[in-house]
Amino acid sequence: MTVIRTFTHDSVTGVKVGKYNLADNSTVHIFCVGETVIDTGPPNDRKSVARYFEGRSVRQILLTHHHEDHSGNAAFLSRMTGAPVFAHPLGLELLREGFPIRMYQKIFWGSTPAVSPEPLGEAVATPCGHTLVPIHTPGHSPDHVCFLEPDRKWLFTGDLFLAPKVKMFRADEDLTGHLKSLKTILGYDFEILFCAHKGVVENGHGMLEKKLAYYLALIEEVRGMHAAGRTPGEITRALFGKKGLVGYISCNHMSSENLVRQCLSCSV
């Protein structure tokens, strides 16, 4: 089942795409600020992306990070429209040379074809008169960036937000980086979040404050339980219940225990 839904918020337009509509992160929002595109959706739903952008003018494509559900149609959309692709320098080689894709990722999102992006500069001027400022926010991935439109107080967050309370982590995520990135981004003035999986989020600053507070409280709780002699597995079951379907399908690459272990090892 392919999901496609168009939306408009203020002067930001876009489309929600995804081959499966099973959870928030199985679908992806592609945002357009005039002729500037932010993220490109999963490669296994290329037909929906092609249908949405057919006849539309695209001048530049910006990626929040290299993961397949965000970069998956960058090469195709660049060929289709002639628009250059831009990404953080830490993601350039991954996008050019390719990166490992696990079986569950191939099933849900597909594999990203190689693309040759250019490095993001200090600011991106859009043809419609906006300025998008890339802010490096590692944690979810080393190359992750958010894009701030300071005049309109918009923040395009990629996978920085997702939800005020997350229950699972990828095995390669870094909670120390998440905490630092949340503290960094909260130093900026913004109101509306454009989240790649949740869509448009009102009171964006307050929602990211809630997420930071959740992480800090969770770290304290997990460490208290560990100090009392409970193992990471026992803590996981006590706080999040039994391993869910995603944990089994991903062979624990995406699981609650990854989050618990990060709570124990991170630097606060």
Side-chain angles (χ1 to χ4, degrees), residues 86-94 96 117-121 136 142-143 145:
F86 295 88
H88 188 274
L90 290 177
L92 299 182
E93 185 175 354
L94 293 168
R96 290 169 181 157
E118 300 176 30
L120 286 162
H136 189 207
D143 62 322
V145 297

Side-chain angles (χ1 to χ4, degrees), residues 122-186:
E122 292 184 1
V124 178
T126 73
C128 59
H130 294 290
T131 298
L132 298 172
V133 180
I135 302 168
H136 189 207
T137 49
H140 180 71
S141 69
D143 62 322
H144 194 282
V145 297
C146 295
F147 294 98
L148 174 69
E149 209 297 356
D151 292 334
R152 304 304 293 270
K153 298 185 179 182
W154 298 335
L155 186 68
F156 298 86
T157 56
D159 281 350
L160 178 68
F161 173 63
L162 299 181
K165 296 181 179 181
V166 296
K167 297 182 179 180
M168 294 185 292
F169 245 43
R170 287 170 54 121
D172 54 0
E173 285 190 87
D174 173 26
L175 184 54
T176 299
H178 270 289
L179 296 172
K180 290 180 178 178
S181 292
L182 285 168
K183 291 173 183 177
T184 294
I185 212 72
L186 286 169

Side-chain angles (χ1 to χ4, degrees), residues 2 52 104 149-150 161 188 225 246:
T2 295
Y52 178 75
Y104 86 97
E149 209 297 356
F161 173 63
Y188 291 88
M225 296 172 74
V246 173

